């Protein structure tokens, strides 16, 4: 085993042992008043942030600098029929309540509610196929679809297509973590917010606000909210008929 992996193995072993000992006893709060469970959650969430950052840094590395998997998984993505969903007006709760005891970062507190007027939202994410229509229509060269800051970014960086798209002749390819594959037309498109806003303007739509997104995920037809996007946690299975 390489020295770095052996080191990580030992550290994990020690941490697991100490955590088991600590969680098995009545541990007083830390000097700053935070209980051990909160500090552990902070450590885990922080670790996941770095894992996400590392993943997209690795994605941007040239394929020649990475060791591919022995066998790439076969991903079958069925085609979808795009449609919109009418969301009735109602309340959206943003942020977290400190009184709830739920873990959150400082910028996620305090909770508050806003009234959201009725609106319509796409049932599915924008696909590569839909975005390809924007590219083919000259969306990257049409100034009208971009804000000043976004246009300056696009122009200054010479952006003419999504970061992981590559064109060879008349065919588009998509760079996954380890391979270039023919552009998967029915995968959700992976672009920056600037590109997403330009596409939405071209399509005659707009990106959902935080309140609209929350309302679409947690709202109910009667204007109230449910605890989870998939509904209440009960022994029954109930759905919102759309």
């Amino acid at each position: 085993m390489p020295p770095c992996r052996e080191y990580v193995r030992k550290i994990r072993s020690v941490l697991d042992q100490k955590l088991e000992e600590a969680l098995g006893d009545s541990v007083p709060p830390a000097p700053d008043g935070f209980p051990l469970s909160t500090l552990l959650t902070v450590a885990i969430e922080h670790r996941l942030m770095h894992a996400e950052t590392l993943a997209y840094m690795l994605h941007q590395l040239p394929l020649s600098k990475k060791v591919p998997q022995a066998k790439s998984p076969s991903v079958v993505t069925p085609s979808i029929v795009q449609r919109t969903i009418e969301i009735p007006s109602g309340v959206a709760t943003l942020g977290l309540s400190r009184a709830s005891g739920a873990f959150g970062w400082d910028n996620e507190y305090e909770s508050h509610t806003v009234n959201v007027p009725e609106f319509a939202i796409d049932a599915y994410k924008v696909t590569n196929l839909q975005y390809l229509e924007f590219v083919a229509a000259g969306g990257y060269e049409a100034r009208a679809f971009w804000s000043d800051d976004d246009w300056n970014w696009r122009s200054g960086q010479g952006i003419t297509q999504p970061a992981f798209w590559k064109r060879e002749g008349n065919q588009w390819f998509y760079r996954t973590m380890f391979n270039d594959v023919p552009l998967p037309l029915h995968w959700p498109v992976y672009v920056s917010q600037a590109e997403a806003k330009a596409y939405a303007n071209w399509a005659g739509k707009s990106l959902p606000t935080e309140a609209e997104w929350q309302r679409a995920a947690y709202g109910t037809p009667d204007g109230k909210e449910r605890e989870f996007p998939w509904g209440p946690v009960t022994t029954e299975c109930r759905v919102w008929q759309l």
Side-chain angles (χ1 to χ4, degrees):
M1 179 181 295
C4 60
R5 293 191 177 183
E6 176 62 21
Y7 172 78
V8 171
R9 187 195 64 78
K10 288 182 178 180
I11 294 299
R12 284 181 173 175
S13 178
V14 172
L15 283 174
D16 288 343
Q17 178 184 349
K18 296 300 182 181
L19 289 175
E20 185 175 358
E21 294 173 358
L23 293 175
D25 302 326
S26 178
V27 181
D32 55 11
F34 289 105
L36 177 62
S37 59
T38 297
L39 297 179
L40 290 178
T41 304
V42 169
I44 293 171
E45 291 288 331
H46 190 223
R47 167 69 175 78
L48 292 174
M49 289 180 184
H50 282 292
E52 180 182 20
T53 302
L54 181 61
Y56 65 69
M57 290 175 64
L58 289 174
H59 194 178
Q60 295 180 63
L61 280 177
L63 297 178
S64 60
K65 293 184 178 295
K66 293 180 282 191
V67 178
Q69 302 177 55
K71 183 178 181 181
S72 299
S74 177
V75 180
V76 178
T77 308
S79 61
I80 58 175
V81 178
Q82 291 285 0
R83 62 190 179 92
T84 57
I85 301 173
E86 299 293 330
I87 306 297
S89 61
V91 172
T93 301
L94 306 180
L96 296 172
S97 169
R98 292 188 184 276
S100 68
F103 173 79
W105 301 104
D106 288 348
N107 62 354
E108 295 179 281
Y109 300 106
E110 181 64 48
S111 67
H112 61 285
T113 59
V114 295
N115 292 316
V116 183
E118 63 180 5
F119 64 99
I121 190 170
D122 289 347
Y124 304 102
K125 297 178 180 179
V126 175
T127 65
N128 286 326
L129 178 59
Q130 290 176 288
Y131 198 83
L132 183 58
E133 296 174 357
F134 169 68
V135 174
Y140 277 82
E141 289 72 46
R143 175 66 181 81
F145 301 132
W146 304 75
S147 69
D148 291 342
D149 288 341
D150 293 344
W151 181 257
N152 291 337
W153 165 79
R154 189 213 67 77
S155 302
Q157 299 295 323
I159 306 296
T160 59
Q161 62 198 48
F164 298 111
W165 287 27
K166 181 174 70 174
R167 187 170 186 173
E168 294 184 359
N170 294 324
Q171 186 171 7
W172 285 97
F173 290 85
Y174 177 77
R175 190 175 79 194
T176 64
M177 184 65 80
F178 298 106
N179 306 94
D180 282 335
V181 300
L183 184 66
L185 296 179
H186 301 296
W187 285 13
V189 69
Y190 182 13
V191 294
S192 67
Q193 186 184 41
E195 291 166 304
K197 287 190 295 183
Y199 170 83
N201 290 332
W202 172 79
K205 300 181 180 181
S206 63
L207 300 183
T209 64
E210 180 185 2
E212 288 173 335
W213 186 265
Q214 195 79 1
R215 175 71 188 134
Y218 292 88
T220 61
D222 61 7
K224 299 179 181 179
E225 291 182 292
R226 47 194 167 188
E227 186 176 3
F228 300 100
W230 53 85
V233 179
T234 66
T235 56
E236 301 177 10
C237 178
R238 302 176 183 176
V239 296
W240 179 10
Q241 184 66 43
L242 300 175

